[in-house]
Amino acid sequence: MQTIVVVGGGYAGFYAAWHLERKLRRNEARVVVVDPRPYMTYQPFLPEVVAGSVEARHAAVSLRRHLRKSRVVSGSVVAIDHEHRTVTIRPADGAEFDLPYDIIVVTAGAVTRQLGIPGVAEQAIGMKHVEEAVAIRDRLLTAFDRASTLSPGPLRRKLLTVTFVGGGFSGVEGFGELLSLATALLRRYPELHRDELRFHLVEARDRILPEVTDKPGRWVVRQLERRGAEVHLNATLVSATGGHVVLSTGAEFDSDLIVWTVGNAANPMVRRHTDLPIDERGMLRVRADLRVGTEEAPVPDAWGGDDAAVPDLAAGRPGAATVPNAQHAVRQGKLLARNIVATLRGRAAKQYKHDSLGTVATLGLGSGIFQWHGLVIKGLPAWLMHRGYHVLAVPSWERKIRVLAVWLTAAAFGRDIVSLASVQEPRRAFVTSDR
């Protein structure tokens, strides 16, 4: 049998392997998925994990549970040598080893882009993985507990100040959901006052949410400001050393929680440690049928998607590439499986073309925005559309039912407001128990 190695178990990798399992005949090929995490993160649920509207485990789709016919290797691919058909894997324990393959599918995804700003690496939390979403939520809940025991002053003010850097899709959704949670928490903390809560959203451009047009984007800004947020446009973060935030506009304030959602960068493994062709941005060169290479020079037995330079045929512009979002990654993963099976059986591969289904974002409990071309829906209807779309989109009926159950429970009894920040240091209570 031929061996198909899938590099990365994110959206595109998971769906490629999942659909390969369904389409491959017995003994036609074996599938190996390599990823350091044992799950695929359903990232659209991360803002709701931050707010406690979705349980953390329900935003993580187990690779071993759902990829029952594939071999799952826990480790990171640190190099691809396509000339010799091997990938080098670094496991959590033990020495690196080489894994041979016949066909490779590169869906390594992007990494969080850092800009070398002082204090960011030490103070900020990203929002790309489940662990980060949980840490953001626990940090806010713990800050409320700590602030409630303090007299008004600089430390209490710092604990109740939250800063999101980046006004893109994930930043605005996370910001809106956390603002919704914090506002609701005030009812449980009579010691704290609404005017002590400070939420700052920092964006380098003159608008937020580039996925929607200008007018809906301005509506989102007004909606957040009506809820007490401060939106800093045309502003960049200069420093965050010790939690002291300095912006390019001259604004300065202390913030206990800083969330970094500035954007993505090309995966460094793809950029530096592969003999596959990459473009000037460090992204994998991919044809419209998701084969690696160009129309003139395709690379045999190599496929790619998700954060690759996939031509956007729906855009109608020469040189346009698909944006690295969930809509494209899921559909590219499914097409990867279909095209690989087709070529194994001597059939032609199909080109990837997908028109956007629109943009929908949550801005907190009961508030959202949806846009499809000129159609814009705001408020509660858009929020319901967001929930409806994503409960249908999350893979497997098991996950859909679990998420629905949590939403129904929260509707009846409210969100859980218990912080489990102590799980990040599980031995502390044991070590200090008899002191």
Side-chain angles (χ1 to χ4, degrees):
M1 286 193 297
Q2 296 197 65
T3 298
I4 304 170
V5 168
V6 180
V7 180
Y11 281 119
F14 173 82
Y15 276 94
W18 203 24
H19 283 260
L20 279 169
E21 287 189 350
R22 300 177 184 183
K23 295 178 181 297
L24 288 169
R25 299 170 184 150
R26 184 183 297 272
N27 297 328
E28 188 173 16
R30 64 171 62 89
V31 179
V32 182
V33 180
V34 186
D35 197 283
R37 287 180 168 81
Y39 57 83
M40 183 269 281
T41 302
Y42 190 73
Q43 291 185 352
F45 278 159
L46 292 187
E48 298 210 46
V49 172
V50 165
S53 300
V54 170
E55 289 293 330
R57 284 190 295 272
H58 299 166
V61 181
S62 170
L63 298 181
R64 293 184 184 274
R65 180 186 180 108
H66 297 286
L67 301 180
R68 298 176 184 178
K69 299 177 184 178
S70 301
R71 177 189 173 194
V72 177
V73 178
S74 297
S76 301
V77 171
V78 295
I80 299 173
D81 182 357
H82 191 63
E83 181 181 358
H84 299 97
R85 300 293 199 275
T86 60
V87 294
T88 302
I89 298 174
R90 180 179 297 156
D93 300 292
E96 294 180 0
F97 62 92
D98 290 339
L99 177 68
Y101 65 82
D102 299 288
I103 299 170
I104 192 165
V105 183
V106 183
T107 53
V111 297
T112 301
R113 180 175 61 187
Q114 296 189 23
L115 303 177
I117 297 170
V120 167
E122 296 79 16
Q123 301 291 327
I125 303 174
M127 209 181 76
K128 194 174 180 64
H129 302 291
V130 173
E131 302 94 327
E132 294 171 323
V134 172
I136 292 168
R137 169 180 162 79
D138 285 344
R139 178 77 74 84
L140 180 76
L141 294 172
T142 301
F144 266 71
D145 285 332
R146 292 172 60 192
S148 67
T149 65
L150 296 173
S151 300
L155 179 55
R156 177 159 149 166
R157 189 161 52 248
K158 179 179 180 180
L159 287 169
L160 296 176
T161 300
V162 175
T163 305
F164 272 65
V165 185
F169 207 85
S170 61
V172 170
E173 285 198 312
F175 184 81
E177 285 286 352
L178 198 65
L179 176 59
S180 176
L181 172 62
T183 304
L185 282 175
L186 289 171
R187 295 195 295 269
R188 308 289 182 179
Y189 290 85
E191 307 92 340
L192 305 178
H193 305 289
R194 179 64 186 85
D195 57 3
E196 295 180 284
L197 195 62
R198 291 284 183 268
F199 267 68
H200 299 270
L201 177 62
V202 181
E203 171 52 45
R205 291 165 293 191
D206 61 355
R207 51 164 300 180
I208 62 173
L209 277 184
E211 295 85 355
V212 302
T213 52
D214 288 347
K215 189 174 180 181
R218 290 194 295 269
W219 177 85
V220 172
V221 171
R222 293 195 302 270
Q223 205 265 354
L224 292 173
E225 289 177 339
R226 282 198 297 269
R227 291 160 56 188
E230 297 179 51
V231 181
H232 304 265
L233 299 177
N234 295 309
T236 58
L237 181 65
V238 175
S239 173
T241 303
H244 182 68
V245 174
V246 180
L247 303 182
S248 60
T249 57
E252 296 187 34
F253 48 88
D254 290 328
S255 181
D256 182 65
L257 176 56
I258 302 172
V259 183
W260 183 264
T261 64
V262 167
N264 296 322
N267 193 294
M269 184 277 295
V270 175
R271 189 169 65 241
R272 302 173 190 153
H273 303 292
T274 175
D275 57 354
L276 295 170
I278 59 173
D279 67 8
E280 62 281 356
R281 298 170 295 168
M283 301 176 73
L284 195 67
R285 288 190 183 276
V286 177
R287 306 185 338 165
D289 61 2
L290 305 183
R291 296 176 193 263
V292 174
T294 62
E295 295 298 327
E296 299 77 21
V299 178
D301 303 321
W303 302 80
D306 189 16
D307 200 47
V310 180
D312 190 353
L313 301 182
R317 302 189 311 272
T322 60
V323 295
N325 62 19
Q327 274 193 44
H328 286 300
V330 169
R331 287 160 179 79
Q332 287 168 12
K334 294 176 181 179
L335 183 61
L336 281 166
R338 292 197 297 271
N339 280 351
I340 290 170
V341 171
T343 55
L344 284 174
R345 298 173 187 171
R347 300 198 304 268
K350 294 182 178 181
Q351 293 186 328
Y352 177 75
K353 183 178 181 181
H354 171 64
D355 291 310
S356 174
L357 299 177
T359 297
V360 62
T362 173
L363 304 174
L365 192 64
S367 180
I369 187 164
F370 168 82
Q371 182 173 16
W372 182 71
H373 299 299
L375 175 65
V376 178
I377 300 174
K378 306 171 185 175
L380 179 61
W383 179 77
L384 292 172
M385 292 172 67
H386 176 274
R387 286 205 161 183
Y389 172 79
H390 285 299
V391 80
L392 291 174
V394 68
S396 85
W397 280 103
E398 171 256 342
R399 275 294 178 267
K400 299 179 198 296
I401 293 170
R402 288 182 187 274
V403 170
L404 278 172
V406 172
W407 283 343
L408 292 172
T409 303
F413 303 106
R415 290 180 288 203
D416 201 331
I417 60 170
V418 175
S419 169
L420 295 178
S422 57
V423 302
Q424 297 170 35
E425 296 181 87
R427 296 186 66 252
R428 172 179 286 185
F430 174 72
V431 171
T432 61
S433 61
D434 63 346
R435 292 183 183 176

